[in-house]
């Protein structure tokens, strides 16, 4: 193919970015060049000569600084965010990150002549316009088919263009122009051919962008308006007959009792929970039950985007206030409502409240008149529930799914009537349908109503069961249910939508760990920050917001912190429906699914989850047609399946493997240049590549739950972005650990297997936030002192764990440090013995979890721990304790929820509690190996105590504590 400098194609900006826009009078790239060694050398020499004539001083940039900067280390390229935050959004794909990368191509490193600036600027401008329109379309509930097709096409172009630019950056971004074209003849030809391929691909993509913008103008997309609002999907819940409801009596009575107490002040009760749990139904039932006790009542739906003037006018009409025909000001309406309600006992239900700002406005209309007025608020958002009832958690009623019995009763009543039971031949299918519904009344009623109108054949019921899932989008009978669940999704801000849909990578009932998920979000580009904010902290806030909005369900919660979650089956179905609509991710449960994805889809697969859970061990046949579709995959999660060749995944960023006990061969991942996150959870062994140095973007390598066939590659210490390294037990650290300055988390290596120098080198990792180490045998004084020295240098640590056996002979010298850990939140060192409680612990204001073992303690040291303002979990052991009793009183352990205490002496005779002590304690654990026949004095003052656990106690000890619990105001349980 010939290139005429006087008639350059658009992709000349790529070539000129390498050659510096050099005017080469007459040259061509042909296959003939590669056939002659002399021709190759001559061509290379000519290029080098002309490159040396470049006028570097003319390459001044007139553009704004790039949003991305390239860091080079040993010839490798790494992009770091330096300017405007960029985030992957569902509808726009990688449009915003692509814009930043184009800005890089417009920077000093690539601009040599005006042609480069012109072409790169053109693409950036075109894509910027398209991106703005895509974000506008993302906020619309429904799109016309032509608009949706345009949106989908542009989104896919953005992915392909980013891949193209990444290829270019990989090949040529880390080297100067002269170095790129000097070398062996065969290598030169290879690089020129690659450049030619990239240039052609970018030319094609540029044409598609121009066409997309032309279609945007012809469709008048910029003028699109949001669709009209339909009928409120909660309307039917408002008019439910009480006789048709199941499991409502208990919740209705409980909330009604809260509202009908003797308090004269205005009281707000919030009902919060997942969409479809029956919040509207419950609030209406409570409203109907108690409305007779109030002079003025109103039940009003707020919705996601309320027009406040219209809403308050409706409230006036509900209360019987005549609305003025004049155009009253907003303040006038508020004043009129307050005046009307000033001397009345009123009951108001605000159904489906979404925003704190809406509550702050509406609540202005409700005066505090001392007449015992009440307000009920229903919401899916926990923060809104808290704000509405002034953070009084005793006034928040959290909805729960129906239990198995009530679910079965509601289902049977709807399908067969209250007098008929489910026929035996349908019971197993019905059980599977109910499991899918997960106690969600909306889902049970919707599906049961569908089955009630159909023939009662097993074949038909099986077809309905199979239709529950992504296919429910095409079932008109399930549309209303999906619309209600969809409200939660449409209310999500754009930056959370991709994070939420990514949960579809995991199968039903899978426990998803927060920190694992956050690292995957970061690798995918879903988490963005400005002003140096910490990405992991922002990612956790995203996770917490999804919990707060009832989009995901907490699984493991530890003292107010949600560590893992699950996704309700109905919400997972909604996720998969959205993912199909937006080509966000694809899931395959069997070979038919895989074939459909690879051969029947219009667009490339971008994220792929393979799971055999639904069919119990099915396998997939990977053929070359499938291989052709996998290079575009960005995230790949594998559950119990044969592993396809990793070289098929050219642009892979996230790799998760959860499978059986076989050896997992990861040697090929060294070729996956874009790889950012690798997590492997297997019972067997894994084999890593001999070199990892090419993975310059790798941020997470988590192989903690595996066993290594070979040692860790030595060049891992030079990975510029590696921030999380989770190693199997008994793993040797490679030489040069002190070079891993980007590490934030290191867990967990064996102290016995590394040298004294390696332990000392840990002190260089000053960016560490989390460190976990293990020891099983005595380390010797030198290693213990070296570890103490290194730990003392890690001033940014937030979590320190030391595992292993109890060794009393080794006193960790950390005890003598001077206030080393200002940011520490978790300190778990129970397997190491301190002489006394370190004095520097009084400065750990962020400490939430403490596990500590000391040779001897005093009451003053117990008080020191009691003054830690954030401590919620304390596991404390002392060899020797004072003879006199320690009385813990007001002002100590203010937020403590869990307290475990042990000693070689009688701990029950040592502890005592005054009124006001440990006001939030819920679990008290005592080691009662030595018992003198008493129980701790003042346990009745622990007003929130729910459980007493006795470690090592005999039967008579348990009986004594059970007797004491009978007179405790909270009647805590007692166990051993």
């Amino acid at each position: 193919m010939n290139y005429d400098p006087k008639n350059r194609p658009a992709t000349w900006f790529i070539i000129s970015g390498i050659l510096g826009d050099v005017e080469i009078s007459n040259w061509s790239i042909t296959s003939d060049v590669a056939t002659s060694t002399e021709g190759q050398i001559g061509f290379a020499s000519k290029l080098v000569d002309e490159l040396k004539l470049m006028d570097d001083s003319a390459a001044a940039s007139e553009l704004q600084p790039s949003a991305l900067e390239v860091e080079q280390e040993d010839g490798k390229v790494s992009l770091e965010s330096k300017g405007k935050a960029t985030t992957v959004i569902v509808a726009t794909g990688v449009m915003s990150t692509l814009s930043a990368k184009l800005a890089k191509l417009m920077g000093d490193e690539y601009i040599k002549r005006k042609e480069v600036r012109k072409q790169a600027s053109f693409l950036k401008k075109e894509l910027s316009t398209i991106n703005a329109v895509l974000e506008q379309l993302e906020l619309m509930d429904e799109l016309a088919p032509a608009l949706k097709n345009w949106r989908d096409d542009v989104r896919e172009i953005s992915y392909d263009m980013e891949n193209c630019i990444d290829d270019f950056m990989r090949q040529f971004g880390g080297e100067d122009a002269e170095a790129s074209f000097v070398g062996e003849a065969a290598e030169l030809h290879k690089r020129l051919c690659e450049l030619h391929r990239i240039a052609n691909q970018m030319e094609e993509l540029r044409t598609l962008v121009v066409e997309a913008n032309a279609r945007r103008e012809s469709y008048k997309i910029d003028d699109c308006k949001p669709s009209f609002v339909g009928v409120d999907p909660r309307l039917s819940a408002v008019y439910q007959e009480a006789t048709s409801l199941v499991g409502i009596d208990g919740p209705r009575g409980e909330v009604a009792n809260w509202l009908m107490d003797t308090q004269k002040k205005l009281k707000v009760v919030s009902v919060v929970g997942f969409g479809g749990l029956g919040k509207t139904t419950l609030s209406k039932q409570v409203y109907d039950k108690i409305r007779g006790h109030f002079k003025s009542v109103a039940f009003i739906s707020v919705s996601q985007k309320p027009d406040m003037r219209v809403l308050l006018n409706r409230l006036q009409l509900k209360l019987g206030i005549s609305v003025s025909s004049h155009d009253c000001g907003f303040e006038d309406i508020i004043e009129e409502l307050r005046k009307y309600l000033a001397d009345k006992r009123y009951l108001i239900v605000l159904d489906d409240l979404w925003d704190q700002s809406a509550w702050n406005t509406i609540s202005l209309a409700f005066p505090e008149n001392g007449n015992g007025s009440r307000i009920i608020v229903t919401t899916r958002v926990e923060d809104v529930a808290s704000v509405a009832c002034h953070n009084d958690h005793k006034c928040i009623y959290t909805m729960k799914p129906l239990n198995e019995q009530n679910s079965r009763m509601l289902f049977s009543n709807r399908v067969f009537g209250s007098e008929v039971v489910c026929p035996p031949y349908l019971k197993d299918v019905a059980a599977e349908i109910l499991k899918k519904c997960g106690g969600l009344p909306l889902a049970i009623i919707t599906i049961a109503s569908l089955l009630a109108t159909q023939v009662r054949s097993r074949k038909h019921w099986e077809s309905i069961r199979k239709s529950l899932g992504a296919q429910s989008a095409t079932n008109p009978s399930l549309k209303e249910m999906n619309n209600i669940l969809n409200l939660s999704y449409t209310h999500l801000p754009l930056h959370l939508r991709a994070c939420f849909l990514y949960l579809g990578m995991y199968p039903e009932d899978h426990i998803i760990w927060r920190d694992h998920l956050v690292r995957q979000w970061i690798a995918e580009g879903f988490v963005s920050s400005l002003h140096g904010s910490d990405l992991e902290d922002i990612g956790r806030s995203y996770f917490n917001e999804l919990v707060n909005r009832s989009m995901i369900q907490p699984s493991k919660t530890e003292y107010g912190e949600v560590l893992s979650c699950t996704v309700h089956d109905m919400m997972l179905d909604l996720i998969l429906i959205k993912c199909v609509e937006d080509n966000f991710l694809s899931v395959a449960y069997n070979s038919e699914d895989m074939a459909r994805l690879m051969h029947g889809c219009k667009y490339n697969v971008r994220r792929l989850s393979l799971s055999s859970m639904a069919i119990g061990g099915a396998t997939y046949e990977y053929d070359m047609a499938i291989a052709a579709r996998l290079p575009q995959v960005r995230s790949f999660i594998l559950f119990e399946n044969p592993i396809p060749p990793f070289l098929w995944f050219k642009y892979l960023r996230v790799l998760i493997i959860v499978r059986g006990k076989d050896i997992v061969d990861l040697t090929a991942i060294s070729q996956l240049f874009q790889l950012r996150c690798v997590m492997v959870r297997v019972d067997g062994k894994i084999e890593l590549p001999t070199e990892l140095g090419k993975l310059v973007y790798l941020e997470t390598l988590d192989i903690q739950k595996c066993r290594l066939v070979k040692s860790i590659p030595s060049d891992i210490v030079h990975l510029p972005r590696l921030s999380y390294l989770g190693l199997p037990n008994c793993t040797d650290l490679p030489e040069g650990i002190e070079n891993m300055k980007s590490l934030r988390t290191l867990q967990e290596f064996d102290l016995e297997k590394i040298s004294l120098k390696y332990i000392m080198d840990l002190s260089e990792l000053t960016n560490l936030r989390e460190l976990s180490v293990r020891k099983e045998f005595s380390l010797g004084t030198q290693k213990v002192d070296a570890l103490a020295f290194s730990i003392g240098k890690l001033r940014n640590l937030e979590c320190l764990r030391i595992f292993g056996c109890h060794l009393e002979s080794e006193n960790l010298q950390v005890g003598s440090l001077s206030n080393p850990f200002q940011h520490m939140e978790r300190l778990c060192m129970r397997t190491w013995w301190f002489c006394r409680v370190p004095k520097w612990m009084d400065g750990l204001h962020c400490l939430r979890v403490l596990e500590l073992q000391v040779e001897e303690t005093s009451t003053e040291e117990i008080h020191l721990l009691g003054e830690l303002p954030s401590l919620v979990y304390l596991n404390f052991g002392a060899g020797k304790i004072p003879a006199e009793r320690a009385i813990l009183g007001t002002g100590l352990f203010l937020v403590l929820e869990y307290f475990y205490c042990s000693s070689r002496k009688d701990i029950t005779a040592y502890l005592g509690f005054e009124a006001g002590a440990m006001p939030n304690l819920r679990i008290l654990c005592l080691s009662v190996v030595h018992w003198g026949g008493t129980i701790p004095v003042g346990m009745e003052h622990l007003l929130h105590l729910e459980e007493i656990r006795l470690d090592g106690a005999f039967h008579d000890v348990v009986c004594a504590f059970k007797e004491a619990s009978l007179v405790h105001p909270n009647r805590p349980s007692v166990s051993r």
Side-chain angles (χ1 to χ4, degrees):
M1 178 177 181
N2 295 323
Y3 285 86
D4 184 350
K6 297 179 181 179
N7 186 23
R8 298 169 182 161
T11 47
W12 179 258
F13 82 93
I14 293 182
I15 300 176
S16 59
I18 299 224
L19 301 184
D21 207 18
V22 178
E23 296 290 340
I24 301 177
S25 58
N26 187 19
W27 63 279
S28 63
I29 304 174
T30 68
S31 58
D32 295 336
V33 175
T35 61
S36 166
T37 303
E38 294 179 0
Q40 294 166 341
I41 296 174
F43 180 54
S45 298
K46 183 176 181 180
L47 280 176
V48 172
D49 289 341
E50 298 206 28
L51 282 168
K52 289 178 178 178
L53 298 177
M54 287 169 45
D55 181 12
D56 290 333
S57 62
S61 172
E62 302 173 2
L63 302 170
Q64 295 296 320
S66 169
L68 294 176
E69 290 184 6
V70 173
E71 293 184 354
Q72 298 184 34
E73 183 175 343
D74 299 329
K76 301 178 179 66
V77 185
S78 177
L79 288 176
E80 291 289 347
S81 177
K82 302 295 182 181
K84 181 181 179 182
T86 56
T87 310
V88 175
I89 296 175
V90 175
T92 65
V94 292
M95 196 68 74
S96 57
T97 58
L98 175 59
S99 180
K101 291 185 178 182
L102 282 170
K104 172 60 201 167
L105 291 180
M106 296 156 58
D108 291 341
E109 184 178 352
Y110 295 95
I111 295 180
K112 301 300 182 183
R113 287 293 184 267
K114 293 181 179 180
E115 187 70 22
V116 181
R117 183 161 60 248
K118 177 182 176 182
Q119 297 295 348
S121 178
F122 170 81
L123 277 177
K124 189 172 185 297
K125 182 179 179 181
E126 292 284 295
L127 293 174
S128 177
T129 304
I130 290 175
N131 188 52
V133 176
L134 286 174
E135 290 188 6
Q136 176 186 337
L137 295 182
E138 176 74 352
L139 298 174
M140 298 175 61
D141 294 337
E142 293 186 14
L143 297 178
L147 297 188
K148 186 178 184 305
N149 288 336
W150 178 85
R151 180 201 66 180
D152 294 346
D153 290 344
V154 172
R155 179 193 62 231
E156 298 304 310
I157 290 172
S158 75
Y159 282 116
D160 294 336
M161 188 170 288
E162 184 184 45
N163 290 341
C164 183
I165 292 177
D166 286 341
D167 283 344
F168 171 69
M169 296 293 294
R170 179 185 184 183
Q171 290 291 331
F172 308 107
E175 305 168 358
D176 57 47
E178 183 172 334
S180 295
F181 287 91
V182 178
E184 296 294 330
E187 179 64 20
L188 172 62
H189 178 257
K190 178 181 177 181
R191 293 173 71 82
L192 287 173
C193 289
E194 178 66 10
L195 177 62
H196 177 57
R197 182 192 67 79
I198 295 173
N200 279 344
Q201 184 179 2
M202 188 59 79
E203 171 71 11
E204 294 173 3
L205 291 169
R206 180 188 185 278
T207 301
L208 291 174
V209 170
V210 173
E211 291 176 354
N213 248 344
R215 287 166 61 194
R216 174 180 63 83
E217 294 173 358
S218 66
Y219 294 157
K220 301 186 183 303
I221 291 175
D222 296 11
D223 299 329
C224 288
K225 304 296 181 185
S227 56
F228 292 102
V229 178
V231 175
D232 189 337
R234 297 172 303 278
L235 194 60
S236 59
V238 175
Y239 296 103
Q240 288 264 24
E241 294 293 337
T243 54
S244 66
L245 301 174
V246 170
I248 195 72
D249 295 341
R252 178 177 55 199
E254 185 173 356
V255 175
N257 288 338
W258 291 3
L259 293 163
M260 297 305 296
D261 61 6
T262 58
Q263 178 178 310
K264 291 299 182 181
K265 289 179 60 178
L266 173 64
K267 186 175 188 177
V268 181
V269 169
S270 297
V271 179
V272 64
F274 179 75
L277 276 174
K279 298 182 297 297
T280 300
T281 302
L282 174 60
S283 62
K284 184 59 166 60
Q285 290 295 310
V286 173
Y287 173 81
D288 288 341
K289 180 176 182 178
I290 67 175
R291 61 180 299 172
H293 297 276
F294 298 85
K295 188 173 182 180
S296 294
V297 297
F299 188 109
I300 189 167
S301 294
V302 181
S303 77
Q304 284 185 325
K305 300 174 183 178
D307 182 320
M308 284 301 173
R309 185 187 297 274
V310 173
L311 179 67
L312 293 175
N313 280 334
R314 285 170 48 213
L315 181 56
Q316 286 179 301
L317 292 173
K318 293 267 187 176
L319 292 170
I321 305 173
S322 57
V323 178
S324 174
S325 58
H326 302 293
D327 187 14
C328 295
F330 188 77
E331 295 81 3
D332 296 331
I333 302 176
I334 295 286
E335 185 61 33
E336 190 170 351
L337 280 165
R338 292 182 64 86
K339 182 178 180 181
Y340 179 82
L341 296 172
D343 59 349
K344 296 177 177 64
R345 189 185 192 206
Y346 57 87
L347 171 65
I348 308 292
V349 177
L350 299 175
D351 185 39
D352 200 34
L353 190 66
W354 289 83
D355 296 309
Q356 294 182 27
S357 59
W359 165 254
N360 293 336
T361 300
I362 298 171
S363 61
L364 296 174
F366 306 132
E368 170 58 81
N369 54 20
N371 289 331
S373 297
R374 300 291 185 257
I375 298 174
I376 304 174
V377 169
T378 74
T379 181
R380 305 185 191 193
V381 185
E382 290 184 3
D383 283 351
V384 175
S386 296
V387 169
C389 58
H390 307 291
N391 295 313
D392 184 355
H393 293 284
K394 295 180 181 178
C395 292
I396 298 177
Y397 184 85
T398 302
M399 296 289 295
K400 296 178 177 61
L402 294 177
N403 60 30
E404 183 178 349
Q405 179 181 353
N406 284 332
S407 295
R408 193 164 52 244
M409 185 184 303
L410 178 60
F411 180 82
S412 295
N413 288 351
R414 288 282 171 148
V415 178
F416 307 108
S418 58
E419 304 299 325
V420 183
V421 296
C422 181
Y425 68 93
L426 293 176
K427 280 189 175 181
D428 57 339
V429 187
E432 292 177 17
I433 292 174
L434 286 174
K435 180 180 180 298
K436 183 73 174 178
C437 293
L440 194 67
L442 172 69
I444 296 172
I445 291 170
T446 302
I447 297 167
S449 299
L450 174 63
L451 292 171
T453 62
Q454 309 291 330
V455 293
R456 294 177 188 171
S457 71
R458 182 181 177 86
K459 181 178 180 181
H460 181 70
W461 278 42
E462 286 280 5
S463 68
I464 296 295
R465 180 189 62 81
K466 292 177 181 178
S467 73
L468 299 177
Q471 294 83 4
S472 64
T474 60
N475 191 329
S477 300
L478 303 178
K479 185 176 180 180
E480 181 181 347
M481 178 182 70
N482 288 329
N483 286 344
I484 291 177
L485 298 178
N486 188 54
L487 288 172
S488 295
Y489 178 78
T490 58
H491 193 255
L492 285 176
L494 295 185
H495 69 272
L496 284 182
R497 295 188 182 187
C499 298
F500 176 64
L501 294 189
Y502 192 84
L503 295 164
M505 296 288 283
Y506 291 92
E508 293 178 3
D509 304 322
H510 191 87
I511 295 176
I512 306 170
W513 291 93
R514 178 198 63 188
D515 289 349
H516 295 171
L517 184 65
V518 167
R519 287 193 283 272
Q520 294 167 53
W521 286 347
I522 292 172
E524 271 275 11
F526 300 158
V527 182
S528 180
S529 68
L530 286 173
H531 313 301
S533 301
D534 185 85
L535 285 179
E536 289 189 12
D537 288 343
I538 293 173
R540 292 189 186 107
S541 74
Y542 287 4
F543 179 90
N544 292 337
E545 191 166 354
L546 291 176
V547 173
N548 177 43
R549 292 169 175 268
S550 304
M551 304 296 286
I552 55 180
Q553 300 172 318
S555 177
K556 180 176 177 58
T557 301
E558 189 175 272
Y559 309 108
E561 189 176 11
V562 180
L563 301 180
S564 66
C565 74
T566 57
V567 182
H568 193 283
D569 286 358
M570 292 291 107
M571 192 60 87
L572 182 59
D573 291 345
L574 174 70
I575 288 174
L576 295 180
I577 290 169
K578 293 290 183 182
C579 288
V580 170
E581 291 176 356
D582 296 316
N583 192 38
F584 187 78
L585 62 82
S586 304
V587 176
Y589 293 102
N590 49 48
S591 56
E592 290 78 14
D593 287 346
M594 196 66 170
R596 174 179 52 80
L597 291 176
M598 295 302 165
H599 305 293
C601 294
K602 178 180 178 181
Y603 299 114
N604 287 318
V605 176
R606 301 298 177 183
R607 298 168 188 87
L608 180 61
S609 174
L610 300 187
S611 172
S612 63
M613 296 182 67
I615 55 174
T619 61
Y620 309 113
E621 297 179 359
Y622 300 105
D623 55 21
M624 295 313 295
I626 292 176
R629 301 295 298 273
L630 293 183
Q632 306 298 327
V633 172
R634 300 164 68 90
S635 284
F636 179 49
I637 299 184
L638 187 68
F639 297 90
E640 301 286 347
N641 283 272
I643 300 176
F646 289 122
L647 291 179
W648 288 359
F649 298 89
K650 182 178 180 180
Y651 300 109
L652 194 65
R653 285 161 166 75
V654 178
L655 173 63
I656 313 292
I657 300 177
V658 183
R659 67 191 303 268
K661 300 180 180 180
D662 298 333
I663 293 179
V664 178
D665 185 355
L666 298 177
T667 55
I669 67 170
S670 62
Q671 304 301 311
L672 304 180
F673 177 69
Q674 291 294 331
L675 201 58
R676 287 157 165 79
C677 177
V678 177
M679 296 182 185
V680 183
R681 292 282 188 272
V682 298
D683 295 330
K685 297 180 178 180
I686 65 168
E687 185 171 359
L688 292 173
T690 56
E691 295 182 352
L692 289 170
K694 293 181 180 180
L695 302 181
V696 295
Y697 293 114
L698 190 65
E699 299 163 346
T700 297
L701 179 61
D702 185 355
I703 52 174
Q704 192 174 351
K705 302 299 182 182
C706 315
R707 287 174 290 152
L708 286 171
V709 173
K710 299 177 182 178
S711 60
I712 294 289
S714 60
D715 63 346
I716 194 175
V717 299
H718 299 301
L719 294 180
R721 286 190 168 194
L722 191 65
S723 64
Y724 183 99
L725 180 59
L727 298 173
N729 292 342
C730 305
T731 301
D732 295 339
L733 286 177
E735 185 176 354
I737 186 72
E738 70 275 9
N739 296 317
M740 304 181 74
K741 297 292 196 297
S742 60
L743 268 187
R744 295 169 53 91
T745 301
L746 177 59
Q747 56 181 17
E748 91 190 34
F749 61 91
D750 196 330
L751 290 169
E752 300 162 35
K753 291 184 173 293
I754 61 176
S755 68
L756 182 65
K757 178 184 181 301
Y758 283 14
I759 296 178
M760 295 290 290
D761 288 343
L762 288 174
S763 65
E764 299 293 323
L765 306 183
T766 55
N767 197 41
L768 270 184
R769 303 294 193 272
E770 183 175 351
L771 176 64
S772 299
V773 297
R774 177 175 292 275
K775 75 177 187 67
E776 298 297 340
F777 303 100
S778 177
L779 296 178
T781 303
Q782 282 188 316
K783 279 193 174 182
V784 170
D785 290 345
L787 181 62
F789 169 80
S790 292
I791 290 175
K793 295 291 185 181
L794 305 179
R795 299 300 176 109
N796 289 313
L797 273 182
E798 297 173 0
C799 176
L800 174 63
R801 296 186 182 95
I802 299 180
F803 301 103
C805 60
H806 291 266
L807 291 176
E808 301 179 24
S809 60
E810 296 178 347
N811 281 303
L812 194 60
Q813 300 303 306
V814 174
S816 62
L817 295 176
S818 175
N819 204 15
F821 307 123
Q822 293 296 313
H823 308 288
M824 186 68 71
E825 296 180 8
R826 291 171 177 265
L827 187 58
C828 304
M829 304 179 68
R830 190 170 169 81
T831 57
W832 290 70
W833 287 70
F834 289 82
C835 293
R836 305 294 294 250
V837 174
K839 292 183 178 179
W840 49 260
M841 282 195 172
D842 63 359
L844 303 185
H845 300 300
C846 299
L847 192 67
R848 301 180 70 251
V849 175
L850 175 62
E851 296 180 2
L852 181 66
Q853 193 87 3
V854 297
E855 290 281 1
E856 184 178 356
T857 193
S858 66
T859 300
E860 291 74 18
E861 290 174 351
I862 299 293
H863 284 190
L864 181 151
L865 297 177
E867 291 172 355
L868 295 176
S870 304
L871 193 65
V872 295
Y873 177 101
L874 176 60
N875 186 320
F876 181 70
K880 299 178 182 178
I881 54 178
E884 68 276 9
R885 188 181 295 276
I887 301 296
L888 305 180
T890 304
L892 297 178
F893 300 105
L894 292 179
V895 297
L896 193 71
E897 297 181 17
Y898 177 100
F899 181 35
Y900 178 93
C901 194
S902 65
S903 177
R904 300 190 191 102
K905 305 295 183 179
D906 182 9
I907 198 69
T908 62
Y910 176 62
L911 291 177
F913 307 97
E914 289 181 345
M918 298 186 177
N920 287 289
L921 190 70
R922 284 166 172 74
I923 300 176
L924 175 64
C925 300
L926 301 174
S927 176
V928 198
V929 178
H930 304 282
W931 189 50
T934 64
I935 62 171
V937 173
M939 277 203 311
E940 67 274 10
H941 297 312
L942 304 176
L943 299 181
H944 286 89
L945 190 64
E946 298 172 356
E947 185 178 354
I948 300 173
R949 300 174 187 172
L950 303 173
D951 187 11
F954 291 104
H955 179 70
D956 54 344
V957 180
V958 176
C959 290
F961 273 84
K962 284 186 175 181
E963 184 177 347
S965 71
L966 295 177
V967 297
H968 191 284
N970 215 33
R971 297 289 182 93
S973 64
V974 179
S975 62
R976 59 177 176 176

